[in-house]
Amino acid sequence: MKVLVTGANGMLASHTISLLIDEGYEVKAMLRNKQKYQLKPHPLVELHEGDIRNRKKVQEVVKGCDFLVHTAALTAPEHITYAPYHEVNVIGTQNLLDAAVKNKLKKVVYVSSANTIGHGSKDDPGTEEIEPRAPFTESLYARSKIHAQKLIDLFTEYIEVSIVNPSFMIGAHDAKPGSGRIILMGYDKKMVFHPPGGKNFVNTKDVARGILAVLEKGRNRGVYLLTGENLTYGEFFNRLSLVTGKPNYLVPVPGPILKGVGYISKIPRLFNLKTPYSLNNMRILCTENYYDNSRAKKELGIHFEPIEYGIQEAVNWFKTEGMIE
C-alpha cells in the first residue's frame, strides 16, 4: 500500500512518514524543496517536489497511491490578509481531493487543527461536537481550516475522508522552528515571561500514531481531536524546567499589556507590512483553550503520553541541530 504525505518536510509529516515505513507502507513524500527533507533516505520513500496549489502537479503525484495524508498547510501568523491562507489551505486541499477522487484512492486523512473546534475549560474541555469559538473564529489560519473542513463535506460522498484535529504539538524535527519556539523561549532562561492563558499540548509522536490509527480504522466523515494535556503557559514552563533540570523564575505578563501590543501591531499592518503580531493573536495568548481526547481514545484505541516525552524529544533535537547547548 502506498501513502502520499504532503508537507513532508514538516515536523508532523516527518514523524508520520517514519511511522508509516516502520509499518511497511510505501510513501510518496511531497514537499516544495527536497533539500529541506529531514529524514534519511529510505527504500520505501520517494521524494516529489511540488506545490499543492499546482493542480497538474498534484494530479501527477497522486497517481499510483492508495491513501493520502494531507499535512501541508500555511500556518505562519504574519500574513495580514486571508487570501494566502485560502490559496494554500483551501484551494490546495481541493486540488488534492479532486485528484484523490479521480484516482480512486481508498482514503484521505486530512490534518486540520483543534482551533476549528470550540474550546472549553479544564473542568469542561471542548469536544468534536462544539462549534469554533472566538477568538479563533477571527484567526485567518483557523478560518481557512474551518473552510477546508466544510469543503471536505462535499467530497465524502465520493471518497472516504477522516479529519484529525491536533492541538499544539511538541517534538523533534521542528526545523522552522514552529511550535518549538516555546521550548527555545524557556530553555535555560533564569526568567521566563509568559502569557496568562493556556492551551492543550500534545506529543507529535502521539499525533502521528493517531493519524495511522485513523488511516486504518477511522470513520468516513469522522472528526478526531488528537490532544494531550491541558496546561496554562506557566504550567508548561514548569514541565520544561523539570525535564531540563534548569529552574527558572516565571513572570506572567498581564493580558492588557499583550493586548496593547496587539493594538500597536495595527500600525505596520496599515502599511501592508507583515508582522506575527496582531490584536487577535494577543487575545488568543490570553485565552485558556482546552480540549478532550476521549473520542480518539475510545474509537481509535490510542493513548497519549505525558507532554514531558515531547519536551525531551524537542530539547534533544534542538541540541543536535545546534540551536541550544
Side-chain angles (χ1 to χ4, degrees):
M1 292 292 184
K2 184 171 289 188
V3 185
L4 171 61
V5 180
T6 65
N9 61 326
M11 176 174 67
L12 177 57
S14 296
H15 283 82
T16 303
I17 291 169
S18 293
L19 186 58
L20 286 168
I21 58 179
D22 285 347
E23 295 296 320
Y25 287 92
E26 296 179 70
V27 176
K28 275 191 177 182
M30 185 177 182
L31 68 173
R32 287 188 294 174
N33 184 348
K34 289 183 181 179
Q35 301 304 315
K36 293 185 177 181
Y37 185 67
Q38 299 185 59
L39 302 178
K40 294 178 181 179
H42 193 282
L44 291 178
V45 179
E46 308 170 18
L47 297 184
H48 292 263
E49 283 190 339
D51 191 316
I52 61 172
R53 294 172 293 183
N54 184 326
R55 287 180 59 86
K56 183 178 179 180
K57 183 63 180 180
V58 166
Q59 291 283 347
E60 173 188 319
V61 176
V62 169
K63 285 181 181 178
C65 293
D66 301 288
F67 302 101
L68 163 64
V69 175
H70 178 27
T71 78
L74 177 62
T75 62
E78 66 264 19
H79 297 282
I80 61 176
T81 65
Y82 177 70
Y85 298 98
H86 184 85
E87 187 176 353
V88 175
N89 298 343
V90 181
I91 301 302
T93 298
Q94 181 171 352
N95 290 342
L96 285 159
L97 289 169
D98 284 338
V101 171
K102 181 177 179 180
N103 288 277
K104 299 181 180 179
L105 267 62
K106 294 179 174 65
K107 189 169 192 174
V108 174
V109 178
Y110 173 68
V111 179
S112 185
S113 165
N115 293 339
T116 66
I117 292 172
H119 60 278
S121 64
K122 284 191 178 182
D123 293 333
D124 187 22
T127 69
E128 291 88 347
E129 307 304 323
I130 301 175
E131 292 294 316
R133 293 172 172 167
F136 299 99
T137 47
E138 300 304 315
S139 160
L140 299 179
Y141 164 71
R143 279 172 52 197
S144 70
K145 300 298 272 189
I146 292 168
H147 190 163
Q149 287 188 201
K150 291 179 179 177
L151 174 70
I152 286 168
D153 285 340
L154 303 177
F155 282 84
T156 52
E157 293 183 16
Y158 310 101
I159 190 170
E160 189 170 330
V161 186
S162 298
I163 299 172
V164 296
N165 302 76
S167 56
F168 196 80
M169 292 179 283
I170 300 293
H173 302 293
D174 192 2
K176 292 182 180 178
S179 56
R181 287 193 187 98
I182 196 170
I183 302 288
L184 303 180
M185 282 173 55
Y187 182 81
D188 204 18
K189 302 290 195 307
K190 292 183 178 179
M191 185 176 292
V192 177
F193 295 88
H194 66 84
K199 61 175 59 183
N200 185 283
F201 296 86
V202 65
N203 299 311
T204 313
K205 277 187 176 178
D206 290 342
V207 177
R209 293 188 190 103
I211 287 173
L212 180 61
V214 169
L215 191 70
E216 294 180 341
K217 54 186 174 182
R219 292 181 288 108
N220 186 31
R221 301 185 181 180
V223 177
Y224 301 93
L225 276 165
L226 300 182
T227 61
E229 295 189 68
N230 294 315
L231 302 170
T232 66
Y233 290 106
E235 289 169 337
F236 177 83
F237 284 116
N238 276 329
R239 300 285 186 96
L240 174 61
S241 179
L242 289 172
V243 169
T244 62
K246 298 175 181 289
N248 48 40
Y249 182 70
L250 300 180
V251 182
V253 180
I257 291 179
L258 290 173
K259 291 174 184 177
V261 172
Y263 280 108
I264 293 171
S265 72
K266 289 185 175 183
I267 297 172
R269 287 173 176 264
L270 288 173
F271 295 95
N272 291 324
L273 298 175
K274 291 182 178 181
T275 170
Y277 304 103
S278 71
L279 178 56
N280 198 63
N281 288 342
M282 295 302 106
R283 286 173 175 155
I284 288 172
L285 291 175
C286 297
T287 302
E288 294 190 0
N289 54 299
Y290 302 131
Y291 297 95
D292 184 336
N293 57 22
S294 296
R295 177 183 289 179
K297 288 180 177 178
K298 182 178 179 180
E299 293 192 18
L300 304 175
I302 61 174
H303 68 281
F304 297 87
E305 299 287 356
I307 197 60
E308 284 87 345
Y309 285 76
I311 292 173
Q312 186 66 70
E313 186 183 59
V315 168
N316 292 343
W317 190 81
F318 283 132
K319 284 182 178 180
T320 301
E321 295 298 304
M323 295 185 183
I324 56 177
E325 296 181 355

